[in-house]
Amino acid sequence: MSSNDFADTRKTATTPVVPRRALRDGVYDAILEKLLDGSTPPGSSLGIDPLARELGVSPTPVREALVQLEHTGLVSRVALKGYRVAQPLSPRQMAELIDTRSILEVAAAERAAVHAVDLVPELRAAHAQHVLSAHRVRKLRGEGGHPTGFADLREYFAADWEFHLTIIRAADNRFLLQLAESLGAHVHRLRQTVDHGTMDVDQAVEEHAEILAAFESGDPRRPVEAMRRHLSALAGRATAESSESP
């Protein structure tokens, strides 16, 4: 066998790696959306074979995706029974999650303030997208719609979280960013737990505007204070909605 033949053989052998990874990621995203859109309520079972048939794939990428999702807390594995959708966050878990976000995001705001000149244009764009998506949610409500499903709210939630990630990226610390990204699924789980019927669209937009203004001010203390106020207010709203839920 020539060296060229060996190279061709080696290339052929390694080619499936990327498609398989893409397939696994696609299955992960598909199951994640099922978990977040309310079609699989807490406690419902997640069979590997039924999911594979529904998604038109083999059981292997489904199994791999469920293992990944178990690490997020969105699903749990029960001995001899397979996987189930996790129960909603308890009040204590919600408090711990928001406390973790506060520790991380206040620290990120402090570090990002040093790079405010470069950050502000990106943060304005992220805020504008958040405002636009909030307007669409309000419009659905005004037209008699009931945007409580994940499909209606997905764009709004993504814009909200992107505003926060923009600040965290500006902190220029890869480990802070990794920690924040690892919290993404838990943040979605928090949104599942609270009552979307009393969603805090207006408050969140107003508080994000205050954070943006704080970075625009050039005072490095103001972004830290604004972020701390925002997350404290978020904690209060989440606690109130959780206590009112049946």
Side-chain angles (χ1 to χ4, degrees), residues 154-175:
R154 173 172 36 196
E155 181 185 354
Y156 171 80
F157 287 149
D160 180 287
W161 186 229
E162 179 60 24
F163 180 88
H164 287 265
L165 286 178
T166 299
I167 295 170
I168 295 167
R169 284 193 291 265
D172 198 24
N173 183 313
R174 72 189 70 186
F175 298 108

Side-chain angles (χ1 to χ4, degrees), residues 95-108:
E96 289 175 351
L97 174 57
I98 296 176
D99 185 46
T100 301
R101 283 189 62 184
S102 296
I103 293 169
L104 189 155
E105 295 195 51
V106 168

Side-chain angles (χ1 to χ4, degrees), residues 101-121:
R101 283 189 62 184
S102 296
I103 293 169
L104 189 155
E105 295 195 51
V106 168
E110 181 180 12
R111 287 156 178 77
V114 178
H115 311 289
V117 173
D118 294 327
L119 168 61
V120 164

Side-chain angles (χ1 to χ4, degrees), residues 192-208:
Q192 279 184 304
T193 302
V194 299
D195 180 8
H196 288 154
T198 55
M199 238 178 60
D200 60 344
V201 173
D202 296 332
Q203 296 95 323
V205 168
E206 181 178 345
E207 289 159 15
H208 281 193

Side-chain angles (χ1 to χ4, degrees), residues 7-20:
D8 289 343
T9 302
R10 183 177 178 183
K11 182 177 179 181
T12 301
T14 58
T15 297
V17 173
V18 173
R20 178 176 175 179

Side-chain angles (χ1 to χ4, degrees), residues 5 23 34-35 43 70 85 95-96 117 123 129 171 194 197 220:
D5 290 338
L23 176 62
K34 285 176 63 66
L35 296 173
E70 185 179 8
V85 181
E96 289 175 351
V117 173
L123 198 58
Q129 187 60 43
V194 299

Side-chain angles (χ1 to χ4, degrees), residues 28-40:
Y28 177 94
D29 290 341
I31 298 175
L32 177 61
E33 182 152 340
K34 285 176 63 66
L35 296 173
L36 299 178
D37 67 8
S39 63
T40 51

